[in-house]
Amino acid sequence: MALHDKKKKKKVTDEVILLDKVSKSYSTGSPALDNISLSIKKGEFVFIVGDSGSGKSTLIKLLLRELVPTSGRVEVNGQDVGKLKHRQVPKFRRNLGIVFQDFRLLNDRNVYENVAFAQRIVQTPTKEIRKNVPKALAVVGLAGKYKAKTRQLSGGEQQRVALARALVNEPPILLADEPTGNLDPKNSWDIMQLLERINEEKGTTILVVTHNREIVNAMQKRVITMKKGVIISDEEKGGYIDED
Amino acid sequence: MRISTLFYTLKQGIINIFRNKWFSLASIATISACLFLFGLFYTVLANFQSMLKSAEEGVAVTVFFEEGVAAERIQEIGEQIRARSEVSRADYISADQAWADWAPENVGEDYQDIFSENPFEGMDNYEIYMTDVALQQDLVTWLESIPEISEVRRSEVAANTLTGINAIVAYVSVGIIAILLAVSIFLINNTVIIGISVRKTEIEIMKYIGATDFFVRSPFVIEGILIGLIGSCIPLAAIYVLYIEVIDYVTIQFPALTGLMQFLPVENLFHTLVPVSLGLGAGIGFLGSFATVRKHLRV
C-alpha cells in the first residue's frame, strides 16, 4: 500500500501539466473546451494541433491563467491555476516561457535589451543579467548579434530572440503558440530543431501549438489533436490528422 | 525592491516621457499653464492679502476713559489691551499730546496763546490697531465691558468691507484652484492612457513573463510625477522673472503707487510658492497617473 502511494506520488510530481475534466464556456456560443482531460509529464515535447476554433488558444490561455476554467481543474507545476489569487499570478507565470507567432519583440530596443527585459521583470540583479543574457543568446545562435536592433533581423532571427527571451529565466515549461506561423520552411525547421535541442539538453517541457503539418509529421513527437473543444486524438510519436 | 529595479523603473518613467514626447509635452504645457495661472493667482492673492493686512492694521479702535480714572489704572488697562491676540499695537495718547497734535493744524500755530487751558482735558485715550479686523467686534465688546472706559470709537464700515473682501478672495481662490487642478488631473489621465496604449505590446509581454502589478504600473506613475514636477518648474521660473520685472516696472513708472501698495519681496513669495507648486505638480502627476493605471491597466 505504502509502495503504491509512493509510486502514485511520484507519478503526480512528474506531471507538470494536468487538465481534469476541464470545460470553458464564453457568454455566447458553444463551449470553447468541453470536458477535456490530459496530462503532460516533465520533459515532454508535445504538439497541439487543430483547426481554428478547436480550443487550442483557450487551452494556452488557461495554462497561462489568462482565463479560469468554467469547470474542472487545471494544474501547472502542481499549482491549481483556478485557485490562484490575482497577486499570485505573476510568480506563477515565471514558471512558463512563452513564444508567439508574431514574436512580440520590443522594436525600440536591441537584441540584448529584449532578452534582458525578461530578467529585469523578475528582478534579477544586473550582474546576473550580464551573465545570463549572452548565455541565452548563445543557445539560440545569436551571440554575435546582441547589439542589433530587432527590425534589422530576419523573421527566423526575431523568433530566436523571442525564444532566448522566453528561456533566459529558465522556466520549466515553454509554451509556443504557432512559433513558425510567420516563418519560411527553412526557418520553421531551424526553430523546431532548436526547440527539440532545448527540450533534450535542458529538460524543458515544451508545448507547441501549430498548423504546420510537415513539421508535426517529421518530428515524431506526441501529438494532441483538438476539434470543437474536445481532444479527438492523443498519440505518442503521432502525426497531423486530416480532419476532412 | 532592488536598487537596480528602482533605477530601472525610474529610467523607464523617463523613457516613457520621451517615447511619448508630443503627448508628454502637451501635458507638461497644460500643467505649466495651470500652475502658472495658480502661481499668478497666488502672487496676486499673497500681495493682496499683505496689503489687506496693512489696511487692517491701519484701522484703529479708539477708547476714551471716564473722568477721574487714575493714570495707573489707565496704564493697567493698556497692558490688558496689548495682551490680546487680535491687537497688534495700542498707543497711549495723553490729552496734552492729543491737543498738541490737533491744535496747530486746526487752531493755528499760536493755539497756546488763544487757549490757556487744554480743551481736550480728560480725553486721554488709546489708539488700538488690529492684527485681524474680523475680530474687531469681539474687542469692542470686551472694551465696552470695562467700567472705566467711557467711549469706544471704531470704523465699522472699514472693518466689514475688509472682512467681506477677505472672504470673497478666499472663496474665489479655492474655486479657481480646484478647477485648475481638476483640468490638470484630467490631462495627465489622458497622457497616461495614451502611454499605456503606445506600450500595449510591452505591457502584454511583461504580464506573460510574470511582472508584478507594481512593476508594470510604477513607470507610468513615475512618468506622471515627473511630468507634474517639470510642469511646475517652468511656471516657477517664469513667475520669478515676471514678478521682478513687473515690480521694477511699477516702481519706476508709477512711483506714487509704491506708497499705497507694498509688494512682497520675491523671496517671501517663493518661500511658499516653490514647495506648494512642486507639491501640487507632483501630486497632480501622481493622482492622475495612479488613478489611470488602476483603471486602465488591468495586470
Coordinates of all heavy atoms in Angstrom, one line a residue, chain A residues 62-123:
Chain A
L62 N -5.7 29.1 -20.6 CA -5.9 28.5 -19.3 C -4.6 28.2 -18.6 O -4.5 28.4 -17.4 CB -6.8 27.2 -19.4 CG -8.3 27.4 -19.7 CD1 -8.9 26.0 -20.0 CD2 -9.0 28.0 -18.6
L63 N -3.7 27.7 -19.4 CA -2.4 27.3 -18.8 C -1.6 28.6 -18.3 O -0.9 28.5 -17.3 CB -1.5 26.6 -19.8 CG -2.0 25.2 -20.3 CD1 -1.1 24.6 -21.3 CD2 -2.1 24.3 -19.1
L64 N -1.8 29.7 -19.0 CA -1.2 31.0 -18.6 C -2.0 31.7 -17.5 O -1.5 32.7 -17.0 CB -1.1 31.9 -19.8 CG 0.0 31.6 -20.8 CD1 -0.2 32.4 -22.1 CD2 1.4 32.0 -20.2
R65 N -3.1 31.2 -17.2 CA -4.0 31.8 -16.2 C -4.5 33.2 -16.7 O -4.7 34.1 -15.9 CB -3.3 31.9 -14.8 CG -4.2 31.7 -13.6 CD -5.3 32.7 -13.5 NE -5.9 32.9 -12.2 CZ -6.5 34.0 -11.8 NH1 -6.5 35.0 -12.6 NH2 -7.0 34.0 -10.6
E66 N -4.7 33.2 -18.0 CA -5.3 34.4 -18.5 C -6.8 34.2 -18.4 O -7.6 35.1 -18.3 CB -5.0 34.5 -20.0 CG -4.0 35.6 -20.3 CD -3.9 35.9 -21.8 OE1 -3.4 35.1 -22.6 OE2 -4.5 36.9 -22.2
L67 N -7.2 32.9 -18.4 CA -8.6 32.5 -18.2 C -8.7 31.5 -17.0 O -7.7 30.8 -16.8 CB -9.2 31.9 -19.5 CG -9.3 32.7 -20.7 CD1 -9.7 31.8 -21.9 CD2 -10.3 33.8 -20.6
V68 N -9.8 31.4 -16.4 CA -10.0 30.3 -15.4 C -11.1 29.4 -16.0 O -12.0 29.8 -16.7 CB -10.4 30.9 -14.0 CG1 -9.3 31.5 -13.3 CG2 -11.6 31.8 -14.1
P69 N -11.0 28.1 -15.7 CA -12.0 27.2 -16.3 C -13.4 27.4 -15.7 O -13.5 27.8 -14.6 CB -11.4 25.8 -15.9 CG -10.5 26.0 -14.7 CD -10.0 27.4 -14.9
T70 N -14.3 27.1 -16.5 CA -15.7 27.2 -16.1 C -16.0 26.0 -15.1 O -16.6 26.1 -14.1 CB -16.7 27.1 -17.3 OG1 -16.3 28.0 -18.2 CG2 -18.1 27.4 -16.8
S71 N -15.4 24.8 -15.4 CA -15.5 23.7 -14.5 C -14.2 22.8 -14.8 O -13.5 23.0 -15.8 CB -16.7 22.9 -14.8 OG -16.7 22.3 -16.0
G72 N -13.9 22.0 -13.8 CA -12.7 21.1 -13.9 C -11.5 21.8 -13.3 O -11.6 22.9 -12.7
R73 N -10.4 21.1 -13.3 CA -9.2 21.5 -12.6 C -8.0 21.6 -13.6 O -7.8 20.7 -14.4 CB -8.8 20.6 -11.5 CG -7.9 21.2 -10.5 CD -7.7 20.3 -9.2 NE -6.7 19.3 -9.4 CZ -7.0 18.0 -9.6 NH1 -8.2 17.6 -9.5 NH2 -6.0 17.1 -9.7
V74 N -7.3 22.7 -13.6 CA -6.1 22.9 -14.4 C -4.9 23.0 -13.4 O -4.9 23.9 -12.6 CB -6.1 24.2 -15.3 CG1 -4.8 24.3 -16.1 CG2 -7.3 24.1 -16.2
E75 N -4.0 22.1 -13.5 CA -2.8 22.2 -12.6 C -1.5 22.4 -13.5 O -1.3 21.7 -14.5 CB -2.6 20.9 -11.9 CG -3.3 20.9 -10.5 CD -3.0 19.7 -9.7 OE1 -1.9 19.1 -9.9 OE2 -3.9 19.3 -8.9
V76 N -0.7 23.3 -13.1 CA 0.6 23.6 -13.8 C 1.6 23.6 -12.7 O 1.5 24.3 -11.7 CB 0.6 24.9 -14.5 CG1 1.9 25.2 -15.2 CG2 -0.5 24.9 -15.6
N77 N 2.6 22.7 -12.8 CA 3.7 22.6 -11.8 C 3.1 22.3 -10.4 O 3.5 22.9 -9.4 CB 4.5 23.8 -11.8 CG 5.7 23.7 -12.7 OD1 6.2 22.6 -13.0 ND2 6.1 24.8 -13.3
G78 N 2.0 21.6 -10.4 CA 1.4 21.2 -9.1 C 0.5 22.3 -8.5 O -0.1 22.1 -7.4
Q79 N 0.4 23.4 -9.2 CA -0.5 24.5 -8.7 C -1.8 24.5 -9.4 O -1.9 24.4 -10.6 CB 0.2 25.9 -8.9 CG 1.3 26.2 -8.0 CD 1.9 27.6 -8.2 OE1 2.6 27.8 -9.2 NE2 1.6 28.5 -7.4
D80 N -2.9 24.6 -8.6 CA -4.2 24.6 -9.2 C -4.4 26.1 -9.7 O -4.6 27.0 -8.9 CB -5.3 24.3 -8.1 CG -6.7 24.2 -8.7 OD1 -6.9 24.7 -9.7 OD2 -7.5 23.5 -8.0
V81 N -4.4 26.2 -11.0 CA -4.4 27.5 -11.6 C -5.7 28.3 -11.3 O -5.7 29.5 -11.1 CB -4.3 27.3 -13.2 CG1 -4.5 28.6 -13.9 CG2 -2.9 26.8 -13.5
G82 N -6.8 27.5 -11.2 CA -8.1 28.2 -11.0 C -8.2 28.8 -9.6 O -9.0 29.7 -9.3
K83 N -7.4 28.3 -8.7 CA -7.4 28.8 -7.3 C -6.4 29.9 -7.0 O -6.3 30.4 -5.9 CB -7.2 27.6 -6.3 CG -8.4 26.7 -6.2 CD -8.3 25.7 -5.2 CE -9.5 24.8 -5.1 NZ -9.2 23.6 -4.3
L84 N -5.6 30.2 -8.0 CA -4.6 31.3 -7.8 C -5.2 32.6 -7.5 O -6.2 33.0 -8.2 CB -3.7 31.4 -9.0 CG -2.6 30.3 -9.2 CD1 -1.9 30.6 -10.5 CD2 -1.6 30.2 -8.1
K85 N -4.7 33.4 -6.5 CA -5.2 34.7 -6.3 C -4.5 35.6 -7.3 O -3.4 35.3 -7.8 CB -4.9 35.2 -4.9 CG -5.8 34.4 -3.9 CD -5.5 34.9 -2.5 CE -6.4 34.1 -1.6 NZ -5.8 33.8 -0.3
H86 N -5.1 36.8 -7.6 CA -4.5 37.7 -8.6 C -3.1 38.0 -8.3 O -2.2 38.0 -9.2 CB -5.4 39.0 -8.5 CG -4.8 40.1 -9.4 ND1 -4.9 40.0 -10.8 CD2 -4.1 41.2 -9.2 CE1 -4.3 41.1 -11.3 NE2 -3.8 41.8 -10.4
R87 N -2.7 38.2 -7.0 CA -1.4 38.6 -6.6 C -0.4 37.5 -6.8 O 0.8 37.7 -6.8 CB -1.3 39.2 -5.2 CG -1.7 38.3 -4.2 CD -1.7 38.9 -2.8 NE -2.4 38.2 -1.8 CZ -2.0 37.1 -1.2 NH1 -0.8 36.6 -1.5 NH2 -2.7 36.4 -0.4
Q88 N -0.9 36.2 -6.9 CA 0.0 35.1 -7.1 C 0.3 34.8 -8.5 O 1.2 34.0 -8.8 CB -0.7 33.8 -6.4 CG -0.9 33.9 -4.9 CD -1.7 32.7 -4.4 OE1 -2.7 32.4 -4.9 NE2 -1.2 32.1 -3.4
V89 N -0.5 35.4 -9.4 CA -0.3 35.1 -10.8 C 1.1 35.4 -11.4 O 1.7 34.6 -12.1 CB -1.4 35.8 -11.7 CG1 -1.2 35.6 -13.2 CG2 -2.8 35.2 -11.3
P90 N 1.7 36.6 -11.1 CA 3.0 36.9 -11.6 C 4.0 35.8 -11.3 O 4.7 35.4 -12.2 CB 3.3 38.3 -11.0 CG 2.1 38.9 -10.7 CD 1.1 37.8 -10.3
K91 N 4.1 35.4 -10.0 CA 5.0 34.4 -9.6 C 4.8 33.1 -10.4 O 5.7 32.4 -10.8 CB 5.0 34.2 -8.1 CG 6.3 33.7 -7.6 CD 6.4 33.9 -6.1 CE 7.8 33.4 -5.6 NZ 7.9 33.3 -4.2
F92 N 3.5 32.8 -10.5 CA 3.1 31.5 -11.2 C 3.6 31.6 -12.7 O 4.2 30.6 -13.2 CB 1.6 31.3 -11.2 CG 1.1 30.4 -12.2 CD1 1.2 29.0 -12.1 CD2 0.5 30.9 -13.4 CE1 0.7 28.2 -13.1 CE2 0.0 30.1 -14.3 CZ 0.1 28.7 -14.2
R93 N 3.5 32.7 -13.3 CA 3.8 32.8 -14.7 C 5.3 32.7 -15.0 O 5.8 32.5 -16.1 CB 3.3 34.1 -15.3 CG 1.8 34.0 -15.6 CD 1.3 35.2 -16.3 NE -0.2 35.1 -16.5 CZ -1.0 36.1 -16.6 NH1 -0.5 37.4 -16.6 NH2 -2.3 36.0 -16.8
R94 N 6.1 32.9 -13.9 CA 7.6 32.8 -14.1 C 8.0 31.4 -14.3 O 9.2 31.2 -14.7 CB 8.2 33.4 -12.8 CG 8.0 34.9 -12.7 CD 8.6 35.6 -11.5 NE 8.1 36.9 -11.4 CZ 8.4 37.8 -10.5 NH1 9.3 37.4 -9.5 NH2 7.9 39.0 -10.4
N95 N 7.1 30.5 -14.1 CA 7.4 29.0 -14.5 C 7.2 28.7 -15.9 O 7.4 27.6 -16.4 CB 6.5 28.1 -13.7 CG 6.8 28.1 -12.2 OD1 8.0 28.0 -11.8 ND2 5.8 28.3 -11.4
L96 N 6.6 29.7 -16.7 CA 6.3 29.5 -18.1 C 7.0 30.4 -19.0 O 7.0 31.6 -18.7 CB 4.8 29.7 -18.3 CG 3.8 28.9 -17.4 CD1 2.4 29.5 -17.4 CD2 3.8 27.4 -17.8
G97 N 7.6 29.9 -20.0 CA 8.2 30.7 -21.1 C 7.2 30.7 -22.2 O 6.5 29.7 -22.4
I98 N 7.0 31.8 -22.9 CA 6.0 31.8 -24.0 C 6.6 32.5 -25.2 O 7.3 33.5 -25.1 CB 4.7 32.5 -23.5 CG1 3.7 32.5 -24.7 CG2 4.9 33.9 -23.0 CD1 2.3 32.2 -24.3
V99 N 6.3 31.8 -26.3 CA 6.8 32.3 -27.7 C 5.5 32.5 -28.5 O 4.6 31.6 -28.5 CB 7.7 31.3 -28.3 CG1 8.1 31.8 -29.7 CG2 9.0 31.1 -27.5
F100 N 5.4 33.6 -29.2 CA 4.2 33.9 -30.0 C 4.6 33.8 -31.5 O 5.7 34.0 -31.9 CB 3.7 35.3 -29.7 CG 3.4 35.5 -28.3 CD1 4.3 36.1 -27.4 CD2 2.1 35.2 -27.8 CE1 4.0 36.3 -26.1 CE2 1.8 35.4 -26.4 CZ 2.8 36.0 -25.6
Q101 N 3.5 33.7 -32.3 CA 3.6 33.7 -33.8 C 4.3 35.0 -34.3 O 5.1 35.0 -35.1 CB 2.3 33.5 -34.4 CG 2.3 33.5 -35.9 CD 0.9 33.2 -36.5 OE1 0.0 32.9 -35.8 NE2 0.8 33.3 -37.8
D102 N 3.8 36.1 -33.7 CA 4.3 37.5 -34.2 C 5.5 38.0 -33.3 O 5.7 39.2 -33.3 CB 3.1 38.5 -34.1 CG 2.5 38.6 -32.8 OD1 2.9 37.9 -31.8 OD2 1.5 39.4 -32.6
F103 N 6.2 37.1 -32.7 CA 7.4 37.4 -32.0 C 7.3 38.3 -30.7 O 7.8 38.1 -29.7 CB 8.5 38.0 -32.9 CG 8.6 37.4 -34.3 CD1 8.7 38.2 -35.4 CD2 8.5 36.1 -34.5 CE1 8.8 37.7 -36.6 CE2 8.6 35.5 -35.7 CZ 8.7 36.4 -36.8
R104 N 6.5 39.4 -30.9 CA 6.3 40.4 -29.9 C 7.5 40.9 -29.2 O 7.7 40.9 -28.0 CB 5.3 39.9 -28.8 CG 4.0 39.6 -29.4 CD 2.9 39.5 -28.5 NE 1.7 38.8 -29.1 CZ 0.6 38.5 -28.4 NH1 0.5 38.8 -27.2 NH2 -0.4 37.9 -29.1
L105 N 8.5 41.3 -30.1 CA 9.7 41.9 -29.6 C 9.5 43.4 -29.4 O 8.6 44.0 -30.0 CB 10.8 41.7 -30.5 CG 11.2 40.2 -30.8 CD1 12.3 40.1 -31.8 CD2 11.6 39.5 -29.5
L106 N 10.4 44.0 -28.6 CA 10.3 45.5 -28.4 C 11.2 46.1 -29.4 O 12.4 46.0 -29.3 CB 10.7 45.8 -27.0 CG 9.9 45.1 -25.9 CD1 10.5 45.4 -24.5 CD2 8.5 45.6 -25.9
N107 N 10.6 46.7 -30.4 CA 11.4 47.1 -31.6 C 12.2 48.4 -31.3 O 13.0 48.8 -32.2 CB 10.4 47.4 -32.8 CG 9.9 46.0 -33.3 OD1 10.6 45.0 -33.3 ND2 8.6 46.1 -33.7
D108 N 12.0 49.1 -30.2 CA 12.8 50.2 -29.9 C 14.0 49.8 -29.2 O 14.8 50.7 -28.8 CB 12.0 51.3 -29.1 CG 11.4 50.7 -27.8 OD1 11.3 49.4 -27.8 OD2 11.2 51.4 -26.9
R109 N 14.2 48.5 -28.9 CA 15.4 48.1 -28.2 C 16.2 47.1 -29.0 O 15.7 46.4 -29.9 CB 15.0 47.5 -26.9 CG 14.4 48.5 -26.0 CD 13.7 48.0 -24.8 NE 12.5 48.8 -24.5 CZ 11.8 48.7 -23.4 NH1 12.2 47.9 -22.5 NH2 10.8 49.5 -23.2
N110 N 17.5 46.9 -28.6 CA 18.3 45.9 -29.3 C 18.0 44.5 -28.8 O 17.3 44.3 -27.9 CB 19.7 46.3 -29.4 CG 20.4 46.3 -28.0 OD1 19.9 45.6 -27.1 ND2 21.4 47.1 -27.8
V111 N 18.8 43.6 -29.4 CA 18.6 42.1 -29.1 C 18.8 41.9 -27.6 O 18.1 41.3 -26.9 CB 19.5 41.3 -30.0 CG1 19.6 39.9 -29.5 CG2 19.0 41.3 -31.4
Y112 N 20.0 42.4 -27.1 CA 20.4 42.2 -25.7 C 19.3 42.7 -24.8 O 18.9 42.1 -23.9 CB 21.7 42.9 -25.5 CG 22.2 42.8 -24.0 CD1 23.0 41.8 -23.7 CD2 21.7 43.7 -23.0 CE1 23.5 41.7 -22.3 CE2 22.1 43.6 -21.7 CZ 23.0 42.6 -21.4 OH 23.4 42.4 -20.1
E113 N 18.8 44.0 -25.1 CA 17.8 44.6 -24.2 C 16.5 43.8 -24.2 O 15.8 43.8 -23.1 CB 17.6 46.0 -24.6 CG 18.7 46.9 -24.2 CD 18.8 48.2 -25.0 OE1 18.0 48.4 -26.0 OE2 19.6 49.1 -24.6
N114 N 16.2 43.2 -25.3 CA 14.9 42.5 -25.4 C 15.0 41.2 -24.5 O 14.0 40.9 -23.8 CB 14.7 42.0 -26.8 CG 13.7 42.9 -27.5 OD1 12.5 42.8 -27.4 ND2 14.3 43.9 -28.3
V115 N 16.2 40.6 -24.5 CA 16.3 39.4 -23.6 C 16.5 39.8 -22.2 O 15.8 39.2 -21.3 CB 17.5 38.5 -24.1 CG1 17.7 37.3 -23.3 CG2 17.3 38.1 -25.6
A116 N 17.2 40.8 -21.9 CA 17.4 41.3 -20.6 C 16.1 41.8 -19.9 O 16.0 41.7 -18.7 CB 18.5 42.5 -20.6
F117 N 15.2 42.3 -20.8 CA 13.9 42.7 -20.3 C 13.2 41.7 -19.5 O 12.6 42.0 -18.4 CB 13.1 43.1 -21.6 CG 11.7 43.6 -21.3 CD1 11.5 44.8 -20.7 CD2 10.6 42.8 -21.7 CE1 10.2 45.2 -20.4 CE2 9.3 43.3 -21.5 CZ 9.1 44.5 -20.8
A118 N 13.3 40.4 -19.9 CA 12.6 39.3 -19.2 C 13.2 39.1 -17.8 O 12.6 38.8 -16.9 CB 12.7 38.0 -20.0
Q119 N 14.5 39.4 -17.7 CA 15.2 39.2 -16.5 C 14.9 40.4 -15.5 O 14.8 40.2 -14.3 CB 16.8 39.1 -16.7 CG 17.1 37.8 -17.4 CD 18.0 36.9 -16.5 OE1 19.1 37.1 -16.3 NE2 17.3 35.9 -16.0
R120 N 14.8 41.6 -16.1 CA 14.5 42.7 -15.3 C 13.2 42.6 -14.6 O 13.0 43.0 -13.5 CB 14.6 44.0 -16.1 CG 16.0 44.3 -16.6 CD 16.1 45.8 -17.0 NE 17.2 46.0 -17.8 CZ 18.5 46.1 -17.4 NH1 18.7 45.9 -16.1 NH2 19.5 46.3 -18.2
I121 N 12.2 42.0 -15.4 CA 10.9 41.9 -14.9 C 10.8 41.0 -13.6 O 10.1 41.3 -12.7 CB 10.0 41.3 -16.0 CG1 9.7 42.5 -17.0 CG2 8.7 40.8 -15.5 CD1 9.1 42.0 -18.3
V122 N 11.7 40.0 -13.6 CA 11.7 39.1 -12.5 C 12.7 39.6 -11.4 O 13.1 38.9 -10.5 CB 11.9 37.6 -12.8 CG1 10.7 37.1 -13.7 CG2 13.2 37.4 -13.5
Q123 N 13.2 40.8 -11.7 CA 14.1 41.5 -10.7 C 15.4 40.7 -10.5 O 15.9 40.6 -9.4 CB 13.4 41.8 -9.4 CG 12.2 42.6 -9.7 CD 11.6 43.2 -8.4 OE1 12.3 43.5 -7.4 NE2 10.3 43.4 -8.4

